[in-house]
Amino acid sequence: MGSVIVGTGIAVPPHRVTNADLSAIMDTSDDWIRRRTGVGSRHVAEPGIGPSDLGAAALQAALADAGIEPGEVDLLVTATMTPDQFAPGIGAVVQAKAGLGPVAAFDLRQQCSGFLYGLDLADAMLRSGRARTAAVVGAEVHSGYMPFGTGFDVLRGLRAEPTEADRAAATASRAWSVLFGDGAGAAVLRAGDPATDALSPAERTGVVASRLFSDGTEFELIQVRGLGFRHQPYVDAEQLAAGLHLPEMNGAELFRRASIAMPAAVRAVLDDVGLSIADLDLVVCHQANERIVDVVRSSLGIDAEVAPTNIERYGNTTAATVAILFHELRLSGRVPSGALVCFVAFGAGSHWGALLYRQP
Ligand SMILES: CC(C)(COP(=O)(O)OP(=O)(O)OC[C@H]1O[C@@H](n2cnc3c(N)ncnc32)[C@H](O)[C@@H]1OP(=O)(O)O)[C@@H](O)C(=O)NCCC(=O)NCCS
């Protein structure tokens, strides 16, 4: 009785920032960003808009898509690495903003694998009968990380050039800041038909299988070291001066790990149920870098038709990437009845995994 996705929705802030726009505030170029990452533009939220706003809007769109009233949802799972504020998490805030009842609302911190972990958790809760209608939301506002200063005024058309100091700070961040974008995606799930349990994995519908992994020995690959409680006080001027509130990323090693871990997770989950790569109609891959998806494709022997990307328009929206991509594929008719979809992601922690889903 694998859980069935009955609705999806997304929300991205209207302001689109192109690579050319970024070139006006740091030393970078459209050519470098496109060639090395595949990103063409990303959406940027206005100050005051948090992931709970985007997440609630995506969830409301998913509920409308499913034709389900907010009051029918009895489980919410949210995932973000950029919460509205340090505490509490966005789970309850999304619950309230989307007009859900006082239901259980989880906050996941699995970064780029957050939505995947959320799908797995929702499926387990639905299968066990602990919930009947579950919503999974991945939402990020990465813009708060960006050390652009007056560069944001340039992006918003309020001044012609950033200060020299802000240009230098933005340039120092370019290896990671050009990758990310803001946005949210949501899915609404319902428990599947128990009669389908008797079917073979090749015939089962809804969530067919899932494999999640974590390896904390590599948590330093991408991290934000500051603002944590091993330090007393947990935030101080010294940390800010040292830039410890900003992401630090070992890009080359992350690239290597993601390129190995994602195909391995796809093979592992297929092996678990005796299916093969040839059975897959779609691979909805985390969108961190077009070149990583290229490696996943060649490792699995699949093409861009099976493993499409939308990173060109959104950049890496972390917990929202696979949700946004799956929504767009559904809308464009790429998830017909019977299609076998593999969601796969890798992200900070490290957390990664793959989940098989067959559209009823
Ligand atoms: C970050 C990433 C795009 C860097 O690509 P890369 O091909 O490894 O590039 P490098 O870091 O080796 O940098 C090459 C050069 O480009 C420069 N560069 C980096 N960012 C740049 C930018 N935005 N614009 C122009 N030049 C840039 C570097 O300074 C370096 O210059 P140098 O050779 O003079 O020192 C790539 O490693 C990546 O995508 N890694 C995975 C990141 C990821 O998945 N993050 C999300 C977590 S799941």
Side-chain angles (χ1 to χ4, degrees), residues 28 32 36-37 112 174-175 178 249 251 254 288-289 291 316 346:
T28 190
W32 191 96
R36 311 297 276 228
T37 75
C112 298
R174 67 184 183 177
V178 303
M249 183 176 93
L254 260 178
N289 186 322
R291 287 160 50 222
N316 181 354
F346 180 92

Side-chain angles (χ1 to χ4, degrees), residues 15 25 44-45 143-158 162:
H15 185 187
I25 66 163
V44 168
S143 294
Y145 278 136
M146 306 306 167
F148 297 167
T150 50
F152 273 118
D153 295 338
V154 177
L155 296 178
R156 295 187 173 113
L158 302 174

Side-chain angles (χ1 to χ4, degrees), residues 13-15 43-50 53-54 141 143 155-156 158 182:
H15 185 187
H43 291 258
V44 168
E46 293 302 308
I49 298 294
D53 300 296
L54 300 180
V141 175
S143 294
L155 296 178
R156 295 187 173 113
L158 302 174
D182 302 338

